[in-house]
Amino acid sequence: MPSIQPPAPSAAPVSEAPLRPPGAGPHFNEVHRLDAQHRLRVLDSRPEQAFDDLTMLASAVCQAPIALISLVDADRQWFKSRRGVDTSETPRETSFCAHAILAPDSVLEVPDAHLDPRFAGNPMVTGEPQIRFYAGAPLITSNGLPIGTICVLDREPRTLSDTERLALASLARQVVTQLELRQAMAGLELDSMTEGLAGLWNRRCLDRNLITSAEESHKSSQPLSLVMIDLDHFKRVNDELGHPAGDDVLRHAAEVVRGAIAPGHFAARFGGEEFCVLLPATGTADARQTADALHAALIGTHWPHRPVTASLGVATAGVDERCDVRALLARADRALYEAKAGGRNQVRVFSGWS
């Protein structure tokens, strides 16, 4: 306001003023991000009290006249709830929130939009509603994908206090909880705790262990790391050899991952050809060592049908930060994306969003 290469930004219309700053670029995992948002089936839905309550709280806690729950769609931002404005959506190219989702592990704060080159020429700054201040906490799904923000805006330059910033991030988590509860209540069924094909724990169990491990990490002042694994070009196996061969490859990958991790580590199938390994009480250096060992095991094994390589992304929540499991997933996903963009068949460690 969470891999594949993002689509190139479209050219600005000729009719736009030449001095107008460009909008934010696409999220690095834009296709998956949009898919996660659309599966929630919330866009263009009717107002709901649960979400209006959260924007009211954001406005009150941050003492801001405008508060929004904004979903960043392909070419617009749409407001599930709004307070202080009448419009239900705006173009994505003028969206502050489209910038916020590019670094989803922190609150984006713009103390004075007139002084920020990203927004100084924005029509919402130069015209109505005369925005000067913005703060947006990304809405991160259980897949670690940012779909929008809960944000507050003011017509005067200012900053948030630490308490206000923490409260806004907390409200963002509540928004996502409501969205995903809404999805479950619409009739989507939860799977059992184990994944049948690969014989590993499934996403539901991974999510529970992530939350438990994050709480234990905070209490014990220990780091928490996550390794995300993707089998390179797995679609080719299905396309060229058939889905039974693809199932053989997935089962074999699960056996290799399970055999390569240490006691106390937790392996799960994340979805498709992706796997996750949760490493409690593990810092970045040891997590990289584990990822290298997993990579070596996957490369060195005798694969059924034909050789397969893997790309791995590593992320760590340090002892000096309160671990947000969705932000940790987003960081690991970013590192995995960089491993793929760098040529695949390698390990990358999260080093930032730029």
Side-chain angles (χ1 to χ4, degrees), residues 44 77 111 114 196 258 287 308 321-322 324 331 338:
D44 299 309
Q77 64 173 357
H114 282 181
R258 187 166 44 238
V308 175
E321 60 178 316
R322 181 65 183 263
D324 183 317
R331 293 177 185 179
E338 290 176 353

PDB file of all heavy atoms in Angstrom, residues 44 77 111 114 196 258 287 308 321-322 324 331 338:
ATOM      1  N   ASP A  44     -14.384  -5.459  -4.694  1.00  0.00           N
ATOM      2  CA  ASP A  44     -15.731  -4.995  -5.065  1.00  0.00           C
ATOM      3  C   ASP A  44     -16.844  -5.618  -4.221  1.00  0.00           C
ATOM      4  O   ASP A  44     -18.016  -5.613  -4.614  1.00  0.00           O
ATOM      5  CB  ASP A  44     -16.006  -5.257  -6.551  1.00  0.00           C
ATOM      6  CG  ASP A  44     -15.023  -4.524  -7.455  1.00  0.00           C
ATOM      7  OD1 ASP A  44     -14.849  -3.303  -7.264  1.00  0.00           O
ATOM      8  OD2 ASP A  44     -14.418  -5.169  -8.329  1.00  0.00           O
ATOM      9  N   GLN A  77      -6.198   0.773  -6.952  1.00  0.00           N
ATOM     10  CA  GLN A  77      -6.309   0.380  -5.550  1.00  0.00           C
ATOM     11  C   GLN A  77      -7.773   0.569  -5.161  1.00  0.00           C
ATOM     12  O   GLN A  77      -8.380   1.605  -5.438  1.00  0.00           O
ATOM     13  CB  GLN A  77      -5.364   1.179  -4.660  1.00  0.00           C
ATOM     14  CG  GLN A  77      -5.633   2.665  -4.581  1.00  0.00           C
ATOM     15  CD  GLN A  77      -4.759   3.361  -3.554  1.00  0.00           C
ATOM     16  OE1 GLN A  77      -3.974   2.756  -2.841  1.00  0.00           O
ATOM     17  NE2 GLN A  77      -4.889   4.684  -3.479  1.00  0.00           N
ATOM     18  N   PRO A 111       6.554  11.434   5.893  1.00  0.00           N
ATOM     19  CA  PRO A 111       6.248  12.562   6.783  1.00  0.00           C
ATOM     20  C   PRO A 111       5.694  13.783   6.054  1.00  0.00           C
ATOM     21  O   PRO A 111       4.798  14.447   6.560  1.00  0.00           O
ATOM     22  CB  PRO A 111       7.600  12.866   7.435  1.00  0.00           C
ATOM     23  CG  PRO A 111       8.371  11.586   7.324  1.00  0.00           C
ATOM     24  CD  PRO A 111       7.943  10.984   6.023  1.00  0.00           C
ATOM     25  N   HIS A 114       5.167  16.556   0.065  1.00  0.00           N
ATOM     26  CA  HIS A 114       5.709  17.629  -0.780  1.00  0.00           C
ATOM     27  C   HIS A 114       7.220  17.518  -0.921  1.00  0.00           C
ATOM     28  O   HIS A 114       7.793  18.010  -1.899  1.00  0.00           O
ATOM     29  CB  HIS A 114       5.364  18.997  -0.188  1.00  0.00           C
ATOM     30  CG  HIS A 114       3.953  19.406  -0.452  1.00  0.00           C
ATOM     31  ND1 HIS A 114       3.434  20.617  -0.020  1.00  0.00           N
ATOM     32  CD2 HIS A 114       2.926  18.789  -1.095  1.00  0.00           C
ATOM     33  CE1 HIS A 114       2.163  20.710  -0.386  1.00  0.00           C
ATOM     34  NE2 HIS A 114       1.837  19.608  -1.035  1.00  0.00           N
ATOM     35  N   GLY A 196      -0.559 -35.585   1.491  1.00  0.00           N
ATOM     36  CA  GLY A 196      -0.589 -36.984   1.099  1.00  0.00           C
ATOM     37  C   GLY A 196       0.488 -37.406   0.131  1.00  0.00           C
ATOM     38  O   GLY A 196       1.122 -38.442   0.307  1.00  0.00           O
ATOM     39  N   ARG A 258      13.647 -34.370   3.917  1.00  0.00           N
ATOM     40  CA  ARG A 258      13.426 -34.934   5.246  1.00  0.00           C
ATOM     41  C   ARG A 258      14.704 -35.572   5.799  1.00  0.00           C
ATOM     42  O   ARG A 258      15.006 -35.460   6.988  1.00  0.00           O
ATOM     43  CB  ARG A 258      12.305 -35.967   5.167  1.00  0.00           C
ATOM     44  CG  ARG A 258      11.852 -36.504   6.520  1.00  0.00           C
ATOM     45  CD  ARG A 258      10.532 -37.253   6.424  1.00  0.00           C
ATOM     46  NE  ARG A 258      10.499 -38.140   5.263  1.00  0.00           N
ATOM     47  CZ  ARG A 258       9.587 -38.068   4.299  1.00  0.00           C
ATOM     48  NH1 ARG A 258       8.647 -37.143   4.334  1.00  0.00           N
ATOM     49  NH2 ARG A 258       9.610 -38.900   3.282  1.00  0.00           N
ATOM     50  N   ALA A 287      21.809 -20.961   9.132  1.00  0.00           N
ATOM     51  CA  ALA A 287      20.735 -21.220   8.172  1.00  0.00           C
ATOM     52  C   ALA A 287      21.303 -21.364   6.765  1.00  0.00           C
ATOM     53  O   ALA A 287      20.868 -22.238   5.998  1.00  0.00           O
ATOM     54  CB  ALA A 287      19.705 -20.095   8.221  1.00  0.00           C
ATOM     55  N   VAL A 308      17.269 -33.313 -11.589  1.00  0.00           N
ATOM     56  CA  VAL A 308      16.509 -32.096 -11.256  1.00  0.00           C
ATOM     57  C   VAL A 308      17.389 -31.226 -10.364  1.00  0.00           C
ATOM     58  O   VAL A 308      18.092 -31.741  -9.494  1.00  0.00           O
ATOM     59  CB  VAL A 308      15.193 -32.457 -10.530  1.00  0.00           C
ATOM     60  CG1 VAL A 308      14.458 -31.195 -10.082  1.00  0.00           C
ATOM     61  CG2 VAL A 308      14.294 -33.303 -11.418  1.00  0.00           C
ATOM     62  N   GLU A 321      14.428  -8.116  16.682  1.00  0.00           N
ATOM     63  CA  GLU A 321      13.148  -7.744  16.092  1.00  0.00           C
ATOM     64  C   GLU A 321      12.086  -8.752  16.484  1.00  0.00           C
ATOM     65  O   GLU A 321      12.368  -9.927  16.655  1.00  0.00           O
ATOM     66  CB  GLU A 321      13.247  -7.661  14.565  1.00  0.00           C
ATOM     67  CG  GLU A 321      13.663  -8.957  13.899  1.00  0.00           C
ATOM     68  CD  GLU A 321      13.703  -8.848  12.381  1.00  0.00           C
ATOM     69  OE1 GLU A 321      12.768  -8.271  11.801  1.00  0.00           O
ATOM     70  OE2 GLU A 321      14.670  -9.348  11.783  1.00  0.00           O
ATOM     71  N   ARG A 322      10.869  -8.269  16.646  1.00  0.00           N
ATOM     72  CA  ARG A 322       9.745  -9.157  16.916  1.00  0.00           C
ATOM     73  C   ARG A 322       9.370  -9.861  15.618  1.00  0.00           C
ATOM     74  O   ARG A 322       9.023  -9.218  14.641  1.00  0.00           O
ATOM     75  CB  ARG A 322       8.547  -8.364  17.454  1.00  0.00           C
ATOM     76  CG  ARG A 322       7.332  -9.227  17.796  1.00  0.00           C
ATOM     77  CD  ARG A 322       7.647 -10.172  18.954  1.00  0.00           C
ATOM     78  NE  ARG A 322       6.550 -11.065  19.261  1.00  0.00           N
ATOM     79  CZ  ARG A 322       5.660 -10.845  20.228  1.00  0.00           C
ATOM     80  NH1 ARG A 322       5.759  -9.759  20.982  1.00  0.00           N
ATOM     81  NH2 ARG A 322       4.694 -11.704  20.455  1.00  0.00           N
ATOM     82  N   ASP A 324       7.619 -11.386  12.709  1.00  0.00           N
ATOM     83  CA  ASP A 324       6.331 -11.479  12.053  1.00  0.00           C
ATOM     84  C   ASP A 324       6.467 -12.598  11.021  1.00  0.00           C
ATOM     85  O   ASP A 324       7.241 -12.491  10.072  1.00  0.00           O
ATOM     86  CB  ASP A 324       6.001 -10.153  11.375  1.00  0.00           C
ATOM     87  CG  ASP A 324       4.619 -10.155  10.733  1.00  0.00           C
ATOM     88  OD1 ASP A 324       4.271 -11.168  10.095  1.00  0.00           O
ATOM     89  OD2 ASP A 324       3.902  -9.156  10.847  1.00  0.00           O
ATOM     90  N   ARG A 331      10.311 -12.436   3.079  1.00  0.00           N
ATOM     91  CA  ARG A 331      11.751 -12.304   2.882  1.00  0.00           C
ATOM     92  C   ARG A 331      12.330 -13.550   2.212  1.00  0.00           C
ATOM     93  O   ARG A 331      13.161 -13.458   1.301  1.00  0.00           O
ATOM     94  CB  ARG A 331      12.441 -12.078   4.231  1.00  0.00           C
ATOM     95  CG  ARG A 331      12.118 -10.753   4.899  1.00  0.00           C
ATOM     96  CD  ARG A 331      12.808 -10.677   6.245  1.00  0.00           C
ATOM     97  NE  ARG A 331      12.443  -9.474   6.987  1.00  0.00           N
ATOM     98  CZ  ARG A 331      12.910  -9.192   8.202  1.00  0.00           C
ATOM     99  NH1 ARG A 331      13.749 -10.018   8.795  1.00  0.00           N
ATOM    100  NH2 ARG A 331      12.526  -8.086   8.810  1.00  0.00           N
ATOM    101  N   GLU A 338      15.470 -14.170  -6.027  1.00  0.00           N
ATOM    102  CA  GLU A 338      16.804 -13.746  -6.455  1.00  0.00           C
ATOM    103  C   GLU A 338      17.639 -14.941  -6.902  1.00  0.00           C
ATOM    104  O   GLU A 338      18.441 -14.833  -7.843  1.00  0.00           O
ATOM    105  CB  GLU A 338      17.492 -12.986  -5.326  1.00  0.00           C
ATOM    106  CG  GLU A 338      16.854 -11.621  -5.056  1.00  0.00           C
ATOM    107  CD  GLU A 338      17.470 -10.900  -3.874  1.00  0.00           C
ATOM    108  OE1 GLU A 338      18.304 -11.523  -3.186  1.00  0.00           O
ATOM    109  OE2 GLU A 338      17.099  -9.736  -3.642  1.00  0.00           O
TER     110      GLU A 338
END
